[in-house]
Amino acid sequence: MTAEPFVTSSLPADIDTQKLPRHVAVIMDGNGRWAKQQGLPRIMGHRRGVDTLKKLLRTCNDWGVGALTAYAFSTENWGRPLEEVAFLMTLFERVLRQELRDMDKEGVRIQFVGNLQSLPASLQEEIDRAVQQTQSNPGIRFTVATNYGGRQEIVQACRAIATQVQRGQLAPEDIDESLFSHHLYTANLEDPDLLIRTSGEMRLSNFLLWQLAYAELYVTDTLWPDFDPTEFHRALCAYQKRHRRFGKV
Ligand code: FPP
């Protein structure tokens, strides 16, 4: 990514601040197809995808969205060709190293969710550095799901809770939704209000299975590298027309 000057943009006039999602989650799909359409190797799609994510993060921060969570790498993505996996790991590391200073200056608080212990050691170091350096920042909370799987997250929460019960630290009747949520990677985050998925696929793909229970879903045919602030504005307009009932009438 190239260094750009910080240009802040204000919330479009037709978006009601009262109806702004507090937490937006994104499944960034279509990088490979975008690259193919351009006659480029798949990895170029991921590179462009980083630019899109960076722009969306800044837009969310400028417009007053409190949290953005992005699905960068799923537990299933290890099944991709070795070179692509290696490229993605190096890309995450390089992006973190290059962008940390700017994100820190803009007040972004970064965190990572997923099974981070299986990531390359050098990436884990960059992650630790980014998390530590930005932990007291006042701006948007930016969560990157890396080596993340929703089912795996639920299973590890069950194990942790079961261990507490086994040790006599917890009674089964103490287990409720709130306690369970606190054993998920996202314990410190409110559930997403809006999930955006690009490239037209109508799936959750093992992303935030518990946390998305009441999220509004927005799927667009636009491929991730083309998902610009105008597209995000469109998603927000659709979101604020929804009537959120949370199962009530
Ligand atoms: C899905 O497109 C995209 C990914 C698996 C990778 C997304 C990662 C980034 C954009 C980088 C984020 C970087 C940081 C540091 C947070 P695809 O390859 O599945 O596209 P296709 O379905 O068209 O093949």
Side-chain angles (χ1 to χ4, degrees):
M1 280 187 280
T2 50
E4 290 167 20
F6 297 157
V7 184
T8 55
S9 65
S10 45
L11 186 68
D14 58 348
I15 301 295
D16 179 352
T17 46
Q18 300 301 311
K19 286 188 182 165
L20 197 63
R22 281 162 305 177
H23 181 182
V24 174
V26 281
I27 300 181
M28 310 179 284
D29 200 8
N31 291 347
R33 274 163 283 174
W34 179 90
K36 196 170 174 203
Q37 280 178 5
Q38 314 284 320
L40 296 168
R42 289 178 55 82
I43 56 168
M44 294 306 287
H46 296 315
R47 258 200 200 143
R48 275 297 286 263
V50 171
D51 293 339
T52 301
L53 181 58
K54 190 180 158 194
K55 216 171 279 168
L56 178 65
L57 175 63
R58 187 167 290 158
T59 304
C60 284
N61 206 9
D62 290 349
W63 291 1
V65 173
L68 175 70
T69 297
Y71 202 8
F73 194 86
S74 73
T75 44
E76 291 75 29
N77 285 153
W78 295 108
R80 292 188 174 215
L82 261 175
E83 319 81 70
E84 185 171 340
V85 171
F87 175 84
L88 281 169
M89 294 298 149
T90 312
L91 180 71
F92 298 154
E93 202 175 314
R94 205 178 50 222
V95 168
L96 272 179
R97 215 172 18 241
Q98 289 174 353
E99 301 299 329
L100 182 59
R101 195 145 57 107
D102 283 0
M103 288 195 283
D104 194 19
K105 258 195 233 165
E106 292 178 56
V108 175
R109 253 184 310 168
I110 308 170
Q111 66 172 2
F112 282 74
V113 292
N115 180 0
L116 306 179
Q117 288 83 24
S118 316
L119 297 173
S122 50
L123 175 55
Q124 289 186 48
E125 278 168 29
E126 292 301 334
I127 288 175
D128 288 346
R129 196 195 326 271
V131 171
Q132 267 183 30
Q133 193 172 322
T134 63
Q135 64 187 349
S136 311
N137 283 351
I140 188 166
R141 182 174 277 284
F142 177 41
T143 303
V144 185
T146 312
N147 195 19
Y148 174 87
R151 287 185 172 184
Q152 176 256 323
E153 177 185 38
I154 289 170
V155 168
Q156 71 79 32
C158 289
R159 277 203 195 127
I161 293 169
T163 305
Q164 288 187 9
V165 173
Q166 194 180 37
R167 288 182 183 150
Q169 295 160 338
L170 193 69
E173 52 277 18
D174 293 336
I175 304 169
D176 58 12
E177 290 187 15
S178 164
L179 182 131
F180 195 83
S181 298
H182 282 90
H183 283 84
L184 297 173
Y185 296 132
T186 50
N188 56 356
L189 263 181
E190 280 182 66
D191 290 343
D193 301 298
L194 170 64
L195 170 73
I196 297 173
R197 180 163 191 158
T198 54
S199 93
E201 312 289 351
M202 307 276 188
R203 286 189 291 275
L204 286 183
S205 298
N206 206 11
F207 188 42
L208 301 178
L209 296 179
W210 171 279
Q211 299 87 337
L212 290 172
Y214 290 103
E216 294 295 326
L217 310 185
Y218 178 85
V219 176
T220 169
D221 285 336
T222 302
L223 303 177
W224 177 253
D226 291 327
F227 190 83
D228 59 11
T230 306
E231 294 278 348
F232 182 51
H233 177 209
R234 210 166 281 152
L236 291 182
C237 288
Y239 171 80
Q240 61 173 20
K241 285 198 194 101
R242 306 270 178 96
H243 182 48
R244 303 190 74 197
R245 294 201 307 264
F246 299 95
K248 302 181 187 95
V249 287

PDB file of all heavy atoms in Angstrom, residues 179-199:
ATOM      1  N   LEU A 179     -22.507 -15.584  30.093  1.00  0.00           N
ATOM      2  CA  LEU A 179     -21.272 -16.273  30.498  1.00  0.00           C
ATOM      3  C   LEU A 179     -20.602 -16.904  29.284  1.00  0.00           C
ATOM      4  O   LEU A 179     -19.389 -16.811  29.095  1.00  0.00           O
ATOM      5  CB  LEU A 179     -21.587 -17.334  31.548  1.00  0.00           C
ATOM      6  CG  LEU A 179     -20.349 -18.080  32.059  1.00  0.00           C
ATOM      7  CD1 LEU A 179     -20.330 -18.120  33.579  1.00  0.00           C
ATOM      8  CD2 LEU A 179     -20.243 -19.483  31.508  1.00  0.00           C
ATOM      9  N   PHE A 180     -21.420 -17.527  28.430  1.00  0.00           N
ATOM     10  CA  PHE A 180     -20.864 -18.176  27.241  1.00  0.00           C
ATOM     11  C   PHE A 180     -20.151 -17.154  26.352  1.00  0.00           C
ATOM     12  O   PHE A 180     -19.020 -17.377  25.908  1.00  0.00           O
ATOM     13  CB  PHE A 180     -21.982 -18.886  26.466  1.00  0.00           C
ATOM     14  CG  PHE A 180     -21.442 -19.859  25.469  1.00  0.00           C
ATOM     15  CD1 PHE A 180     -21.085 -21.136  25.852  1.00  0.00           C
ATOM     16  CD2 PHE A 180     -21.259 -19.486  24.151  1.00  0.00           C
ATOM     17  CE1 PHE A 180     -20.550 -22.036  24.936  1.00  0.00           C
ATOM     18  CE2 PHE A 180     -20.722 -20.365  23.228  1.00  0.00           C
ATOM     19  CZ  PHE A 180     -20.373 -21.655  23.618  1.00  0.00           C
ATOM     20  N   SER A 181     -20.796 -16.010  26.129  1.00  0.00           N
ATOM     21  CA  SER A 181     -20.208 -14.956  25.279  1.00  0.00           C
ATOM     22  C   SER A 181     -18.849 -14.528  25.807  1.00  0.00           C
ATOM     23  O   SER A 181     -17.959 -14.197  25.037  1.00  0.00           O
ATOM     24  CB  SER A 181     -21.095 -13.712  25.253  1.00  0.00           C
ATOM     25  OG  SER A 181     -22.330 -14.025  24.715  1.00  0.00           O
ATOM     26  N   HIS A 182     -18.717 -14.530  27.138  1.00  0.00           N
ATOM     27  CA  HIS A 182     -17.457 -14.084  27.728  1.00  0.00           C
ATOM     28  C   HIS A 182     -16.321 -15.081  27.542  1.00  0.00           C
ATOM     29  O   HIS A 182     -15.178 -14.759  27.824  1.00  0.00           O
ATOM     30  CB  HIS A 182     -17.649 -13.711  29.201  1.00  0.00           C
ATOM     31  CG  HIS A 182     -18.276 -12.366  29.349  1.00  0.00           C
ATOM     32  ND1 HIS A 182     -19.641 -12.191  29.418  1.00  0.00           N
ATOM     33  CD2 HIS A 182     -17.730 -11.129  29.334  1.00  0.00           C
ATOM     34  CE1 HIS A 182     -19.907 -10.899  29.472  1.00  0.00           C
ATOM     35  NE2 HIS A 182     -18.767 -10.230  29.428  1.00  0.00           N
ATOM     36  N   HIS A 183     -16.650 -16.282  27.052  1.00  0.00           N
ATOM     37  CA  HIS A 183     -15.598 -17.260  26.773  1.00  0.00           C
ATOM     38  C   HIS A 183     -15.255 -17.309  25.286  1.00  0.00           C
ATOM     39  O   HIS A 183     -14.446 -18.121  24.867  1.00  0.00           O
ATOM     40  CB  HIS A 183     -16.005 -18.648  27.279  1.00  0.00           C
ATOM     41  CG  HIS A 183     -15.852 -18.773  28.759  1.00  0.00           C
ATOM     42  ND1 HIS A 183     -16.813 -18.346  29.648  1.00  0.00           N
ATOM     43  CD2 HIS A 183     -14.826 -19.223  29.520  1.00  0.00           C
ATOM     44  CE1 HIS A 183     -16.403 -18.547  30.875  1.00  0.00           C
ATOM     45  NE2 HIS A 183     -15.191 -19.080  30.833  1.00  0.00           N
ATOM     46  N   LEU A 184     -15.875 -16.449  24.509  1.00  0.00           N
ATOM     47  CA  LEU A 184     -15.547 -16.387  23.084  1.00  0.00           C
ATOM     48  C   LEU A 184     -14.388 -15.411  22.882  1.00  0.00           C
ATOM     49  O   LEU A 184     -14.081 -14.600  23.756  1.00  0.00           O
ATOM     50  CB  LEU A 184     -16.776 -15.944  22.276  1.00  0.00           C
ATOM     51  CG  LEU A 184     -17.971 -16.916  22.337  1.00  0.00           C
ATOM     52  CD1 LEU A 184     -19.189 -16.306  21.657  1.00  0.00           C
ATOM     53  CD2 LEU A 184     -17.620 -18.259  21.697  1.00  0.00           C
ATOM     54  N   TYR A 185     -13.746 -15.489  21.713  1.00  0.00           N
ATOM     55  CA  TYR A 185     -12.630 -14.565  21.420  1.00  0.00           C
ATOM     56  C   TYR A 185     -13.090 -13.113  21.477  1.00  0.00           C
ATOM     57  O   TYR A 185     -12.307 -12.203  21.684  1.00  0.00           O
ATOM     58  CB  TYR A 185     -12.111 -14.795  20.003  1.00  0.00           C
ATOM     59  CG  TYR A 185     -11.500 -16.132  19.717  1.00  0.00           C
ATOM     60  CD1 TYR A 185     -11.884 -16.840  18.572  1.00  0.00           C
ATOM     61  CD2 TYR A 185     -10.522 -16.684  20.547  1.00  0.00           C
ATOM     62  CE1 TYR A 185     -11.310 -18.071  18.263  1.00  0.00           C
ATOM     63  CE2 TYR A 185      -9.947 -17.914  20.241  1.00  0.00           C
ATOM     64  CZ  TYR A 185     -10.346 -18.593  19.102  1.00  0.00           C
ATOM     65  OH  TYR A 185      -9.778 -19.805  18.792  1.00  0.00           O
ATOM     66  N   THR A 186     -14.395 -12.909  21.216  1.00  0.00           N
ATOM     67  CA  THR A 186     -14.937 -11.560  21.091  1.00  0.00           C
ATOM     68  C   THR A 186     -15.528 -11.046  22.393  1.00  0.00           C
ATOM     69  O   THR A 186     -16.396 -10.171  22.371  1.00  0.00           O
ATOM     70  CB  THR A 186     -16.042 -11.573  20.023  1.00  0.00           C
ATOM     71  OG1 THR A 186     -16.925 -12.660  20.341  1.00  0.00           O
ATOM     72  CG2 THR A 186     -15.491 -11.755  18.619  1.00  0.00           C
ATOM     73  N   ALA A 187     -15.063 -11.595  23.533  1.00  0.00           N
ATOM     74  CA  ALA A 187     -15.656 -11.276  24.835  1.00  0.00           C
ATOM     75  C   ALA A 187     -15.808  -9.767  25.076  1.00  0.00           C
ATOM     76  O   ALA A 187     -16.763  -9.330  25.712  1.00  0.00           O
ATOM     77  CB  ALA A 187     -14.812 -11.894  25.932  1.00  0.00           C
ATOM     78  N   ASN A 188     -14.885  -8.984  24.553  1.00  0.00           N
ATOM     79  CA  ASN A 188     -14.911  -7.540  24.837  1.00  0.00           C
ATOM     80  C   ASN A 188     -15.650  -6.739  23.768  1.00  0.00           C
ATOM     81  O   ASN A 188     -15.588  -5.514  23.754  1.00  0.00           O
ATOM     82  CB  ASN A 188     -13.470  -7.019  24.959  1.00  0.00           C
ATOM     83  CG  ASN A 188     -12.668  -7.335  23.707  1.00  0.00           C
ATOM     84  OD1 ASN A 188     -13.178  -7.993  22.796  1.00  0.00           O
ATOM     85  ND2 ASN A 188     -11.444  -6.857  23.638  1.00  0.00           N
ATOM     86  N   LEU A 189     -16.327  -7.419  22.846  1.00  0.00           N
ATOM     87  CA  LEU A 189     -16.974  -6.734  21.721  1.00  0.00           C
ATOM     88  C   LEU A 189     -18.484  -6.940  21.743  1.00  0.00           C
ATOM     89  O   LEU A 189     -18.941  -8.036  22.048  1.00  0.00           O
ATOM     90  CB  LEU A 189     -16.499  -7.377  20.415  1.00  0.00           C
ATOM     91  CG  LEU A 189     -15.373  -6.793  19.602  1.00  0.00           C
ATOM     92  CD1 LEU A 189     -15.178  -7.662  18.356  1.00  0.00           C
ATOM     93  CD2 LEU A 189     -15.634  -5.356  19.211  1.00  0.00           C
ATOM     94  N   GLU A 190     -19.215  -5.900  21.356  1.00  0.00           N
ATOM     95  CA  GLU A 190     -20.659  -6.099  21.160  1.00  0.00           C
ATOM     96  C   GLU A 190     -20.856  -6.930  19.899  1.00  0.00           C
ATOM     97  O   GLU A 190     -20.008  -6.887  19.005  1.00  0.00           O
ATOM     98  CB  GLU A 190     -21.325  -4.745  20.931  1.00  0.00           C
ATOM     99  CG  GLU A 190     -21.578  -3.966  22.188  1.00  0.00           C
ATOM    100  CD  GLU A 190     -22.296  -2.663  21.866  1.00  0.00           C
ATOM    101  OE1 GLU A 190     -23.452  -2.719  21.417  1.00  0.00           O
ATOM    102  OE2 GLU A 190     -21.666  -1.612  22.046  1.00  0.00           O
ATOM    103  N   ASP A 191     -21.972  -7.631  19.792  1.00  0.00           N
ATOM    104  CA  ASP A 191     -22.232  -8.401  18.573  1.00  0.00           C
ATOM    105  C   ASP A 191     -22.387  -7.462  17.374  1.00  0.00           C
ATOM    106  O   ASP A 191     -22.890  -6.343  17.514  1.00  0.00           O
ATOM    107  CB  ASP A 191     -23.534  -9.215  18.728  1.00  0.00           C
ATOM    108  CG  ASP A 191     -23.368 -10.358  19.714  1.00  0.00           C
ATOM    109  OD1 ASP A 191     -22.217 -10.730  20.023  1.00  0.00           O
ATOM    110  OD2 ASP A 191     -24.408 -10.877  20.176  1.00  0.00           O
ATOM    111  N   PRO A 192     -21.990  -7.932  16.169  1.00  0.00           N
ATOM    112  CA  PRO A 192     -22.159  -7.063  14.989  1.00  0.00           C
ATOM    113  C   PRO A 192     -23.636  -6.771  14.717  1.00  0.00           C
ATOM    114  O   PRO A 192     -24.497  -7.631  14.920  1.00  0.00           O
ATOM    115  CB  PRO A 192     -21.576  -7.904  13.843  1.00  0.00           C
ATOM    116  CG  PRO A 192     -20.701  -8.915  14.492  1.00  0.00           C
ATOM    117  CD  PRO A 192     -21.321  -9.193  15.832  1.00  0.00           C
ATOM    118  N   ASP A 193     -23.906  -5.558  14.263  1.00  0.00           N
ATOM    119  CA  ASP A 193     -25.272  -5.185  13.850  1.00  0.00           C
ATOM    120  C   ASP A 193     -25.474  -5.497  12.378  1.00  0.00           C
ATOM    121  O   ASP A 193     -26.586  -5.739  11.927  1.00  0.00           O
ATOM    122  CB  ASP A 193     -25.488  -3.675  14.051  1.00  0.00           C
ATOM    123  CG  ASP A 193     -25.283  -3.278  15.485  1.00  0.00           C
ATOM    124  OD1 ASP A 193     -26.043  -3.768  16.333  1.00  0.00           O
ATOM    125  OD2 ASP A 193     -24.344  -2.490  15.776  1.00  0.00           O
ATOM    126  N   LEU A 194     -24.385  -5.422  11.629  1.00  0.00           N
ATOM    127  CA  LEU A 194     -24.469  -5.565  10.169  1.00  0.00           C
ATOM    128  C   LEU A 194     -23.328  -6.443   9.686  1.00  0.00           C
ATOM    129  O   LEU A 194     -22.166  -6.214  10.045  1.00  0.00           O
ATOM    130  CB  LEU A 194     -24.353  -4.160   9.534  1.00  0.00           C
ATOM    131  CG  LEU A 194     -24.179  -4.079   8.021  1.00  0.00           C
ATOM    132  CD1 LEU A 194     -25.408  -4.625   7.290  1.00  0.00           C
ATOM    133  CD2 LEU A 194     -23.945  -2.612   7.582  1.00  0.00           C
ATOM    134  N   LEU A 195     -23.668  -7.454   8.889  1.00  0.00           N
ATOM    135  CA  LEU A 195     -22.636  -8.268   8.223  1.00  0.00           C
ATOM    136  C   LEU A 195     -22.700  -7.978   6.724  1.00  0.00           C
ATOM    137  O   LEU A 195     -23.759  -8.102   6.114  1.00  0.00           O
ATOM    138  CB  LEU A 195     -22.880  -9.771   8.429  1.00  0.00           C
ATOM    139  CG  LEU A 195     -21.965 -10.644   7.537  1.00  0.00           C
ATOM    140  CD1 LEU A 195     -20.521 -10.628   8.040  1.00  0.00           C
ATOM    141  CD2 LEU A 195     -22.463 -12.078   7.435  1.00  0.00           C
ATOM    142  N   ILE A 196     -21.563  -7.594   6.162  1.00  0.00           N
ATOM    143  CA  ILE A 196     -21.484  -7.357   4.722  1.00  0.00           C
ATOM    144  C   ILE A 196     -20.665  -8.493   4.106  1.00  0.00           C
ATOM    145  O   ILE A 196     -19.575  -8.805   4.590  1.00  0.00           O
ATOM    146  CB  ILE A 196     -20.787  -6.007   4.428  1.00  0.00           C
ATOM    147  CG1 ILE A 196     -21.615  -4.859   5.003  1.00  0.00           C
ATOM    148  CG2 ILE A 196     -20.577  -5.830   2.923  1.00  0.00           C
ATOM    149  CD1 ILE A 196     -20.926  -3.499   4.924  1.00  0.00           C
ATOM    150  N   ARG A 197     -21.206  -9.107   3.070  1.00  0.00           N
ATOM    151  CA  ARG A 197     -20.416 -10.096   2.322  1.00  0.00           C
ATOM    152  C   ARG A 197     -20.385  -9.669   0.857  1.00  0.00           C
ATOM    153  O   ARG A 197     -21.430  -9.410   0.252  1.00  0.00           O
ATOM    154  CB  ARG A 197     -21.011 -11.494   2.448  1.00  0.00           C
ATOM    155  CG  ARG A 197     -20.166 -12.495   1.657  1.00  0.00           C
ATOM    156  CD  ARG A 197     -20.405 -13.940   2.023  1.00  0.00           C
ATOM    157  NE  ARG A 197     -19.352 -14.728   1.383  1.00  0.00           N
ATOM    158  CZ  ARG A 197     -18.961 -15.922   1.750  1.00  0.00           C
ATOM    159  NH1 ARG A 197     -19.514 -16.489   2.781  1.00  0.00           N
ATOM    160  NH2 ARG A 197     -17.998 -16.554   1.109  1.00  0.00           N
ATOM    161  N   THR A 198     -19.211  -9.622   0.294  1.00  0.00           N
ATOM    162  CA  THR A 198     -19.074  -9.233  -1.107  1.00  0.00           C
ATOM    163  C   THR A 198     -19.063 -10.469  -2.003  1.00  0.00           C
ATOM    164  O   THR A 198     -18.934 -11.598  -1.525  1.00  0.00           O
ATOM    165  CB  THR A 198     -17.783  -8.411  -1.321  1.00  0.00           C
ATOM    166  OG1 THR A 198     -16.673  -9.147  -0.814  1.00  0.00           O
ATOM    167  CG2 THR A 198     -17.873  -7.064  -0.638  1.00  0.00           C
ATOM    168  N   SER A 199     -19.189 -10.230  -3.279  1.00  0.00           N
ATOM    169  CA  SER A 199     -19.097 -11.217  -4.367  1.00  0.00           C
ATOM    170  C   SER A 199     -20.271 -12.185  -4.446  1.00  0.00           C
ATOM    171  O   SER A 199     -20.156 -13.234  -5.074  1.00  0.00           O
ATOM    172  CB  SER A 199     -17.765 -11.969  -4.345  1.00  0.00           C
ATOM    173  OG  SER A 199     -17.836 -13.151  -3.619  1.00  0.00           O
TER     174      SER A 199
END
